[in-house]
Amino acid sequence: MIIAEYDVVVIGGGHAGIEATHAAWKLGVKTAMLTMEIDAIGRMSCNPAVGGVAKGQIVRDIDALGGLMGLLTDKAGIQFRMLNMSKGPAVWGPRAQCDMKYYSEVAKEVITNLPGLDVIEGDLAAFERMADGRLELTLLDGKRYITKSIVVTSGTFLASKMFTGLDTSIGGRVGEPSSDKLSECLAREGVQLRRLKTGTPSRLDPDSIDFNECEVQRGDDSPWPMSDRHLDNAVPGRDANYFWGDPKNSFVRNDCVCWITRTNIKTHDILRSGFKDSPMFSGRIHGKGPRYCPSIEDKINRFGDRDGHQLFLEPEQADIGRVYINGFSSSLPADIQLQAIHTIPGLTRAKVLQIGYAVEYDSVDATQLYPTFECKKVPGLYFAGQVCGTSGYEEAAGQGLMAGINAALKVKGEEPLILGRSESYLGVMVDDLVNVLLDEPYRMFTSRAEYRLFLRSDNAEARLKEKARKIGMLSESDFADWVRRQELMATVKERLATTSALPEEANSILAEGGQALATERTRWINVLRRPGIDPEVFFKVATPDLNISRRDQWYMYAEEIYAGFFDRQAREIDDQKKMESVKLSPDLDFMQISAISIESRQRLNAQKPLTLGQASRIPGVRPADITVLAHWLENRYA
């Protein structure tokens, strides 16, 4: 018996599942979330933090597109820091330590209160295509549902196993089962799976830690919220006090501290003594772990010449509760982990509340997916999150947002949303995932973005809000606020370009940044272009009567100091956009284009790119063949 029919069913309630569910619901299609445990929605399995360098830019992209992660983070955050402030704004990364329990509670409340959305508790056992193209879902308990599309956001739960030394158990997270049947079903459908590995460190009792032996790390004096919106606008039906009562997001909680300590030679010697029982080194774990977030034993093995590695002690909740050892992920035997922990300054008496472990799981080779995250072999089947071979909450949430948007747009018969590499970090990530065969979990870095001067955390709104509004992801009030701010910035810029500062006015600003002092009158805009000044000081002096927000002050500053670089890259970006505008049919048989090399034809047929730009980035496809393909398309459709 069929219980209900939907347009989109999202499998999983993690960070990818939250964004996919909210996006599909927001675009007006009948949506359901299927999760093994409703209380686990938004659970932070690992590090209780959101954002960072490049990852923070992803969160800002999500927020500009109407997603939830920035809002949830501002609500549950307990410490806010802007990383990389000593460098240019292009690589700044907003980061927030979160109360992991409260984050999950807020996420659950938001999702379960979306009007018209169904949240189903259960485990998907199988799905099959019906004659009319829809998918029939069967749960482990026998319940059945019909949907036009499904978005699989299963995280680390596909055929998952947990490892601590020689001990092995089934599951994707402590106390939670593995989803083996879904993994088997995907394999039957011809979806290629691969094994990957991740891990998590021990959690400690804060009362057993001597924090006096550690370096204190506090939040910023003036914290930056992740979002420019407030939750009652983002989620209709929430009252104005649901966020924190201030519609301008002028306050976030920022009173918790983290601590820094280090491993030492004695720590490393103890860890090495457990290598013989390590599931990673003994071959019991076959999946490859993340290169840029390695376990502590992998660090010791790869960087044996170092006498220490920095660790961060991070509270998991506002009342501390448990402390997370960031940088000490391990699957070594429990006794080895404990001995090693007790050699670390501040942790000599530490009591372990949960021992570290590794997880090995099935993931999907994302080159089987279109840039919409729809599977090429199975129409209507989408994937997003860690199941696509990524690591990190932010990468997962970004994929979930894009998959949910595109699943809904397809149901509505509308054009997909595909972002270019020059438009967002999400565009960079999606392009990397669907075009490059990865042999390890993918993590976002600023170095992956060739146009990172254009993809800053401060200009996400300028890049993406119009797109969000066009497809229906942004409320009218949010967009109206953005238009008002744009108009104010235009007014401010015009004044800066047409009025001059007296030497003493300019010098009151330049002295703050250690700049050479002015000797004559100069246009205010030229003062703003001097690197190293404090925009907040500048606008207070230059435009005291115009109430421009702090975020917009830094945005205008970055736009001016990078203006010269923008001009140089603008032509390259225009060329890329032209290539992205050339559409390719998913049914195009590249083997018929005999002027292209056989290798390129084979790779193009395997990948089935949707644009000429995507085709140009497929490894092994020669630039000369892209030129031939462009001419072939021109002649065919002339």
Side-chain angles (χ1 to χ4, degrees):
M1 176 181 175
I2 302 299
I3 294 177
E5 297 184 16
Y6 299 99
D7 293 318
V8 176
V9 173
V10 177
I11 313 299
H15 302 281
I18 289 169
E19 297 294 349
T21 300
H22 174 254
W25 169 85
K26 200 169 187 178
L27 293 183
V29 301
K30 190 175 182 182
T31 306
M33 172 190 280
L34 173 63
T35 177
M36 289 190 287
E37 183 183 354
I38 291 177
D39 286 340
I41 291 174
R43 184 168 288 168
M44 290 182 153
S45 308
C46 206
N47 189 1
V50 170
V53 178
K55 290 171 174 282
Q57 281 90 324
I58 289 178
V59 180
R60 294 282 297 138
D61 283 357
I62 291 170
D63 188 68
L65 285 170
L68 286 176
M69 178 167 264
L71 294 163
L72 299 176
T73 301
D74 285 347
K75 178 71 174 175
I78 55 179
Q79 186 200 82
F80 290 77
R81 296 175 60 229
M82 184 69 78
L83 307 186
N84 264 359
M85 284 287 283
S86 62
K87 299 179 181 179
V91 293
W92 288 7
R95 182 187 190 274
Q97 197 71 22
C98 294
D99 184 317
M100 63 186 301
K101 182 180 178 183
Y102 190 42
Y103 188 102
S104 180
E105 289 174 354
V106 175
K108 173 188 170 184
E109 182 176 358
V110 169
I111 292 298
T112 56
N113 282 283
L114 295 177
L117 177 81
D118 288 343
V119 180
I120 305 165
E121 197 166 64
D123 192 1
L124 181 62
F127 64 86
E128 60 181 39
R129 180 165 297 282
M130 301 170 65
D132 61 4
R134 293 181 300 167
L135 300 169
E136 182 176 322
L137 313 183
T138 303
L139 276 54
L140 282 179
D141 60 9
K143 294 177 182 176
R144 293 189 296 161
Y145 300 86
I146 290 177
T147 183
K148 294 177 182 175
S149 59
I150 61 175
V151 183
V152 176
T153 66
S154 52
T156 62
F157 285 84
L158 288 185
S160 52
K161 295 180 180 180
M162 297 181 290
F163 298 84
T164 300
L166 299 176
D167 296 331
T168 304
S169 58
I170 302 298
R173 189 162 52 200
V174 166
E176 299 183 40
S178 170
S179 187
D180 295 349
K181 293 295 185 181
L182 178 55
S183 191
E184 294 170 4
C185 179
L186 293 173
R188 287 197 302 272
E189 292 291 331
V191 178
Q192 293 180 9
L193 303 174
R194 54 184 178 162
R195 298 294 279 176
L196 290 178
K197 171 253 179 189
T198 188
T200 192
S202 296
R203 271 61 158 189
L204 307 179
D205 182 347
D207 292 336
S208 66
I209 299 174
D210 187 353
F211 292 111
N212 291 325
E213 295 185 14
C214 306
E215 177 187 342
V216 174
Q217 186 181 61
R218 303 186 186 279
D220 292 340
D221 292 336
S222 298
W224 293 89
M226 285 284 188
S227 176
D228 290 297
R229 301 176 295 140
H230 50 292
L231 207 53
D232 59 301
N233 272 0
V235 183
R238 311 315 303 169
D239 61 57
N241 293 322
Y242 180 70
F243 201 43
W244 52 78
D246 186 342
K248 298 303 180 185
N249 287 7
S250 62
F251 173 77
V252 290
R253 181 168 183 173
N254 195 39
D255 56 351
C256 287
V257 300
C258 299
W259 301 268
I260 302 174
T261 186
R262 289 183 67 84
T263 62
N264 51 61
I265 296 297
K266 188 174 182 181
T267 312
H268 300 178
D269 289 341
I270 292 173
L271 292 169
R272 287 192 185 95
S273 73
F275 280 10
K276 64 182 184 301
D277 295 322
S278 164
M280 186 174 70
F281 296 139
S282 66
R284 292 173 56 233
I285 291 179
H286 301 286
K288 194 165 183 179
R291 176 195 303 263
Y292 302 104
C293 189
S295 64
I296 188 64
E297 56 263 37
D298 196 19
K299 288 181 189 176
I300 304 306
N301 187 51
R302 287 165 52 189
F303 310 109
D305 57 329
R306 297 192 184 179
D307 59 5
H309 295 274
Q310 196 173 59
L311 305 174
F312 297 89
L313 306 180
E314 301 174 340
E316 288 191 332
Q317 293 179 227
D319 61 357
I320 302 185
R322 303 192 310 177
V323 170
Y324 177 98
I325 321 177
N326 191 349
F328 205 83
S329 172
S330 181
S331 61
L332 289 173
D335 60 331
I336 296 294
Q337 290 190 46
L338 186 58
Q339 290 177 45
I341 287 170
H342 285 164
T343 66
I344 298 168
L347 307 184
T348 55
R349 299 181 299 106
K351 178 182 177 182
V352 173
L353 301 177
Q354 177 186 301
I355 202 69
Y357 61 93
V359 181
E360 186 182 44
Y361 57 96
D362 279 350
S363 69
V364 173
D365 169 10
T367 62
Q368 300 170 96
L369 312 179
Y370 292 118
T372 59
F373 286 112
E374 185 178 20
C375 183
K376 296 171 183 176
K377 291 183 178 179
V378 187
L381 174 62
Y382 294 75
F383 293 90
Q386 208 158 349
V387 70
C388 290
T390 59
S391 66
Y393 305 143
E394 304 82 2
E395 289 91 339
Q399 293 169 66
L401 177 71
M402 299 304 294
I405 286 173
N406 281 307
L409 290 176
K410 183 175 181 179
V411 167
K412 295 169 71 173
E414 298 178 10
E415 287 293 309
L417 177 66
I418 299 175
L419 301 174
R421 296 183 70 92
S422 64
E423 294 177 307
S424 73
Y425 271 87
L426 294 178
V428 173
M429 175 176 64
V430 173
D431 193 65
D432 285 347
L433 291 176
V434 301
N435 285 317
V436 181
L437 181 61
L438 304 170
D439 62 354
E440 63 187 24
Y442 177 96
R443 181 178 181 179
M444 179 55 73
F445 296 99
T446 55
S447 59
R448 295 191 189 275
E450 56 269 53
Y451 306 118
R452 55 186 173 273
L453 296 183
F454 291 82
L455 308 182
R456 308 183 308 275
S457 63
D458 62 74
N459 71 351
E461 296 172 287
R463 292 183 279 108
L464 299 172
K465 276 204 166 179
E466 180 61 48
K467 294 179 181 293
R469 177 179 180 250
K470 183 177 180 180
I471 63 173
M473 280 296 296
L474 202 65
S475 71
E476 287 301 319
S477 60
D478 275 335
F479 191 74
D481 181 64
W482 168 236
V483 170
R484 177 193 61 77
R485 288 165 50 207
Q486 284 182 300
E487 291 172 348
L488 177 58
M489 285 188 280
T491 298
V492 170
K493 185 170 182 179
E494 182 179 6
R495 180 184 294 187
L496 297 179
T498 56
T499 60
S500 298
L502 296 171
E504 56 268 28
E505 291 178 313
N507 291 339
S508 68
I509 298 165
L510 297 175
E512 292 281 340
Q515 297 289 310
L517 300 182
T519 58
E520 57 186 24
R521 292 179 69 98
T522 182
R523 297 287 187 190
W524 277 115
I525 196 71
N526 294 327
V527 179
L528 183 60
R529 289 169 179 161
R530 301 282 284 272
I533 68 168
D534 185 338
E536 296 175 53
V537 174
F538 171 86
F539 284 102
K540 187 175 182 180
V541 175
T543 58
D545 58 321
L546 297 177
N547 186 27
I548 183 171
S549 72
R550 182 186 180 214
R551 175 95 69 192
D552 293 340
Q553 290 174 358
W554 284 94
Y555 165 66
M556 292 186 68
Y557 171 61
E559 288 290 294
E560 293 303 323
I561 64 172
Y562 288 133
F565 297 101
F566 292 165
D567 293 341
R568 274 178 246 163
Q569 286 194 340
R571 185 177 301 173
E572 185 179 346
I573 291 175
D574 285 342
D575 289 343
Q576 186 202 71
K577 287 182 177 179
K578 289 176 183 176
M579 293 184 72
E580 298 297 342
S581 68
V582 179
K583 307 295 184 182
L584 302 175
S585 169
D587 300 322
L588 176 59
D589 181 7
F590 292 94
M591 296 304 293
Q592 66 178 300
I593 311 174
S594 58
I596 296 177
S597 69
I598 185 66
E599 180 185 4
S600 290
R601 278 183 277 166
Q602 290 171 343
R603 291 181 182 273
L604 289 165
N605 256 1
Q607 294 289 90
K608 292 294 184 183
L610 295 180
T611 69
L612 189 62
Q614 291 164 23
S616 70
R617 294 186 294 276
I618 295 174
V621 175
R622 302 171 187 175
D625 287 332
I626 294 298
T627 302
V628 171
L629 176 59
H631 288 312
W632 183 86
L633 291 167
E634 287 178 5
N635 293 332
R636 183 180 187 185
Y637 298 109

